[in-house]
Amino acid sequence: MLQAQVRWPRPSRLEDPLDVPHGKLADGLEALGLTSVGALLEHLPKDSREARTVAALRAGEQATVAVQVRTIAARPVRRRGMKPLVEASVFDATGTMRATFFNQPWLAQRYEPGTRLVLYGKTTARGTFNVAHHAIGNDLGAHPTDTPGEIAHYPATEGVSSTQILTLMQGVRDALADVPEALSAAMRVSEGLPDRRSALAAMHFPHTAEDRETGRERLAFEELLLTQLVFLRRRARRRARMDAFALCEPQSLSERWLERELPFALTGDQRRAVDTIREELASIRPMQRLLMGEVGSGKTVVALYAMLRAVEHGRQAALMAPTETLAEQHFATVQRLIGGEPVPAALLTGSTAARRRADILGKLASGELALIVGTHSLIEPDVRFRSLAVAVVDEQHRFGVRQRAALDGKGALVAGGGGPIGDRLAPHVLHMTATPIPRTLALAGYGDLDVSRLHELPRGRQAIATRIVAGDSARERAYEELRKELRAGRQAYVVCPLIEETLPPHAPDPGPSVASKPAPVGAGPSAEVRPSPGVGASVAGAVADRSEIGQRAATAEYERLAKGELKEYELVLLHGGMRPREKQEAMARFASGEADVLVATTVIEVGLDVANATVMLVENAERFGLSQLHQLRGRVGRGEHRSTCLLVGPPGARRLRAMVEHADGFKLAEIDLELRSEGELVGTRQSGLSQFEVACLPEDGALLERARARAEAIMATDPKLEGSEHVLLGEALAHAFGVEAFEPIPA
Ligand code: ADP
Ligand code: MG
């Protein structure tokens, strides 16, 4: 032991360039970003393949084997232009076979007898192994005299095969000793995680699949810990840098409003959210809260409470929405909810006339306007508030960090100056989202926000009877049910997943990139929500295989129903391809009751509230995501009448069954998560699910919880990461997220 060579990590060696001659391989490596030893070591295998024994190889099957060379020789090929073949006799503990290498005569010299090799290829009918990729396997877990181990499999590209990467990896294996360790020994012990270099070694050179998983978990933990630290540090920085105006006087206006103006009592969830918000507004620490609740759960009511708290302190409040239509709707709701209270309010969007805009800006600057609702227009540089104290941001995932910062910049000037950054007070911010996502995903995506959830729907809202409609006779009965409601004076929705029956002739050929794109998320009326891809289905796919699936496009369905099953009734058509004017006319005709049935694509998801509509029939329901179906269903059951949702689709579809069984959007979001793989999930983008390289959600949910707890503990004791056990963690943070992420937190 004493004679063992002591080696100190030498991280600079990780920056050494890879020793690869110019050519296809070097180009391929560069394309993968693998230009240094360190980068190569961080290039993780996607999975590992169990190596086969020679005896277990079957003709025609692609496989990996770990063998040793017995004899090897080049053999000329008679056909012109072909380089000599190299034939080798190779063996492992179970047997011997012949292996053929093509086009690489030099291998006869390089792989001398005794060399251990990893071969990937296919056994021919005559029992020869045709080698597609090969690498020296001396250092691999697999050993010809052992049972075969696991062979790492890498994301490869033009010019670089997985096996070539493996060969290079073996060449730099010693450099693993130079890999820096970001997690303290104490943390590794209590989390039961290996050190970083062992984790990398286990991934690149696994003996078993479990090895690889242990290594992956360690790396995933670190990745999750770093992202949580970034979130928490961002929050801490904002708190430390900017104070907010403490809204701590007794409630006057807000209380009167809750008691007298609101025509209903708050639900338990609303009450809890209001209580939490009241407390947070009373602090000089700027609030950063996310209010999650599906459409109709009463978020706007809670938001308005927060805004009125600002108003009753003689301060201002703003509500920012991602689209003009949403801003207009919010403004209408706010005006209706405020009732008789004299609160000067205005709407500011991109289409506000110049004269009116100037007037509004003047009144915001003077403080005459207490409450403003609008779009991005609210954060334009020339918009100045006299004293903005509360800002509400709807569908916050549509706004970036920079826009949030712009909002902070609209805070009130600190009287007398001398205050923190910019001498401004940060507004308290309430974010709202109608996409309920499970806790773990919220942590991954919104780890810098505190979360309130509105589960309960307001009282008086009825359970919506939901049924699956399968087969022609069931469809007949469904139309009969629709007609019965229409005869009783109610209204109905028919929802279809596509706009038109065929692609317009000029439409671009939907390539694979289109096909793999996830559906847009939480799209407002301006952006049509396409049916989100179910397993194996996609927008483009839906176009291609329509004849099989029997898609009923909205336009065709509108025409068909108008002449057929619903010919006695007034129908309107609504889809994303219509002009805004036409859309508004269609919606207005339905809202006023002039039209009985709205045949639509998912544009109705947001923005139409018709209490008299009691039936919804969804065509090809299995093509929609669960969250989307849930949002669609929320369009009915808004009035006093019993409502029904009819889902046309295969009775066995799990998503449809979940819709029948559950009404809670959060529960459905969880099921959605289970049913979908990463990347297909509705809400992926805003929940930040696909931001990770190693971690994989939702599977790593428990690991994420652990990382979050760790991050919180670190922030509680050593937020600046100055302690000796955290210094390297800080460096890893700066390395992964750039120096901004590691900006100091002001004391
Ligand atoms: P969201 O913003 O979450 O979509 P809103 O705040 O706009 O929901 O509320 C949806 C509808 O429900 C509105 O018409 C609102 O007046 C009503 N509402 C909200 N809270 C309650 C409640 N506690 N009881 C009865 N109706 C309510
Ligand atoms: Mg609302």
Side-chain angles (χ1 to χ4, degrees), residues 257-266 301 336-339:
W257 174 73
L258 282 176
E259 309 225 310
R260 295 208 211 124
E261 293 296 334
L262 262 195
F264 44 74
L266 296 182
V301 172
R336 181 168 54 83
L337 286 173
I338 285 179

Side-chain angles (χ1 to χ4, degrees), residues 262-267 270 293-302 330 333 336-337 432 454 458-459 461 609 638:
L262 262 195
F264 44 74
L266 296 182
T267 64
Q270 281 174 321
E294 56 196 274
V295 175
S297 60
K299 295 183 296 298
T300 314
V301 172
V302 174
H330 276 307
T333 310
R336 181 168 54 83
L337 286 173
M432 302 198 286
L454 304 181
R459 238 176 319 144
R461 194 64 64 76
D609 189 356
R638 301 191 145 229

